[in-house]
Amino acid sequence: MKRFGAATFFVLFCIVSLILLSGRCKSYLVSEFSLGPPPIPAENPLTEEKVDFGRTLFFDKRLSRTNEISCASCHVPEYAFTDRKPLSEGVNGRKTTRNAPSLLNAAYLKTMMFDAHLPTLEQQVIVPIQEHQEMDMKMGELIKKLAAIPGYQEKARALFQRDFDAYVLTRSIAAFERTLLSQNSRFDQFVKGNKKALTKSEQLGHKLFTEKLYCATCHPAPHFTTYKAENNGLYFDYGEDKGRFRIFNDSSDIGKFKVPSLRNVELTYPYMHDGSLSTLEDVIKHYEDGGKKSKNQHPAIGSFKLTREEKIALVSFLRSLTDTTYLKNY
């Protein structure tokens, strides 16, 4: 398991300091196309020790009822913190109802979960722990279990001046997740001035993505998401999982799921909220067909036609959004 290097942590510390001191997200090191410094909540500032403790908890399978599932079971670092399964699996092989989203750049998320309804990473941590199909642990039982682990109680008192509890658990894991940054793809290098970073085909794909097609309507750079919940016409009838509708019972939310970032999309297959599309080519075909024309389908989604060369170029561009340098730092 990797740890922060001194240089990496110093950079993160400087970023946080800039935010807290100036209230701005500007730096002469950051281009207009970059993600910019990640927002860090004042009530849960980053420290190396807290992040390290959060990392330990993130990989600890004792967070689950059967001691077989950790956060990392569904968010595997090598897979851009996804699991490459159509539907994630919890304790005793129980199937969840949705595909595991990437945690890379989670610090920038405005809302959590596919339903886009939780406002913080701290709140999100609680959901998989208590979900029957995932870790299946009642929080009260889990706290007693973890507090009895040698070193955990001591860490809680040293870092938070309190006994190990849900506050310690959620703040530590969320702090670790905010350090999972991926911002150095070849596309990033290209927009920062390295014109050799993208091939001619990838540049054509970028032009198609932003000019000919409607991709950037929901996936604009630099985040490649609007962070909003949208209906992308994956189904005409959404059956049991109606998306955001299950939270607010609003019929206009049927079929709406939060738009995922396309950063590292090459690594995060299979695609869609239910993992029903296996390849990027399948995804392009879905949009080329104009979706299934469901009631709440986003108005921008309509059919189009690409040549074989254009399809290759578009996929090539999407692959240029891959950045695995995060593997050196998590």
Side-chain angles (χ1 to χ4, degrees), residues 19-299:
I19 296 171
L20 295 178
L21 292 175
S22 69
R24 301 177 181 179
C25 290
K26 295 182 180 180
S27 168
Y28 70 93
L29 295 174
V30 178
S31 80
E32 62 179 309
F33 292 101
S34 82
L35 294 172
I40 309 297
E43 67 89 26
N44 191 20
L46 296 185
T47 67
E48 185 170 10
E49 293 79 10
K50 186 192 298 182
V51 169
D52 187 66
F53 189 34
R55 181 189 297 105
T56 298
L57 291 166
F58 186 88
F59 285 90
D60 194 337
K61 294 182 178 181
R62 290 171 292 189
L63 268 67
S64 65
R65 178 170 297 280
T66 60
N67 300 320
E68 61 179 319
I69 299 294
S70 71
C71 303
S73 297
C74 296
H75 299 285
V76 183
E78 289 76 14
Y79 301 158
F81 287 89
T82 66
D83 60 9
R84 289 187 178 169
K85 297 176 182 178
L87 302 176
S88 296
E89 296 178 7
V91 297
N92 298 319
R94 296 171 188 167
K95 290 280 188 181
T96 66
T97 59
R98 292 177 178 175
N99 180 258
S102 173
L103 293 182
L104 290 174
N105 298 318
Y108 298 94
L109 292 175
K110 301 178 186 303
T111 57
M112 313 301 136
M113 314 296 288
F114 269 115
D115 298 311
H117 68 294
L118 295 180
T120 69
L121 282 171
E122 286 79 5
Q123 291 181 359
Q124 184 278 329
V125 170
I126 299 173
V127 177
I129 290 174
Q130 299 192 136
E131 172 59 46
H132 174 72
Q133 294 168 302
E134 297 186 53
M135 293 179 174
D136 193 28
M137 281 294 291
K138 293 181 179 179
M139 188 58 70
E141 295 177 10
L142 177 62
I143 295 308
K144 291 180 182 179
K145 179 180 179 181
L146 296 183
I149 296 173
Y152 278 17
Q153 183 73 297
E154 290 77 4
K155 281 283 188 182
R157 289 171 177 164
L159 295 173
F160 297 94
Q161 294 76 54
R162 60 196 294 158
D163 290 337
F164 190 97
D165 58 8
Y167 184 95
V168 173
L169 175 69
T170 57
R171 268 60 183 179
S172 299
I173 292 178
F176 167 65
E177 290 177 339
R178 288 193 177 95
T179 68
L180 303 178
L181 305 178
S182 179
Q183 308 180 2
N184 192 37
S185 68
R186 288 189 295 108
F187 171 78
D188 293 308
Q189 296 168 28
F190 179 79
V191 297
K192 289 176 182 177
N194 181 4
K195 299 310 176 183
K196 294 183 179 180
L198 295 186
T199 67
K200 293 294 185 182
S201 180
E202 290 164 346
Q203 291 181 49
L204 171 60
H206 180 228
K207 187 173 183 178
L208 292 168
F209 185 90
T210 56
E211 297 180 17
K212 179 176 180 178
L213 306 177
Y214 49 74
C215 311
T217 302
C218 294
H219 298 283
H223 296 270
F224 289 94
T225 176
T226 58
Y227 298 107
K228 297 178 181 178
E230 303 286 3
N231 182 323
N232 70 347
L234 185 61
Y235 299 107
F236 179 77
D237 181 353
Y238 277 82
E240 293 185 6
D241 190 352
K242 300 186 186 303
R244 186 176 165 89
F245 171 78
R246 72 179 188 174
I247 303 298
F248 300 106
N249 203 35
D250 183 341
S251 61
S252 67
D253 281 335
I254 293 176
K256 289 186 177 181
F257 299 84
K258 187 170 65 181
V259 177
S261 173
L262 296 184
R263 285 180 173 273
N264 290 295
V265 70
E266 177 185 16
L267 306 176
T268 60
Y269 58 86
Y271 306 106
M272 304 298 168
H273 71 273
D274 59 356
S276 59
L277 299 183
S278 299
T279 68
L280 289 173
E281 288 80 4
D282 292 337
V283 174
I284 291 173
K285 180 65 165 59
H286 164 72
Y287 289 113
E288 191 175 28
D289 291 342
K292 297 298 192 297
K293 308 297 188 296
S294 54
K295 182 179 179 180
N296 297 321
Q297 182 172 307
H298 194 290

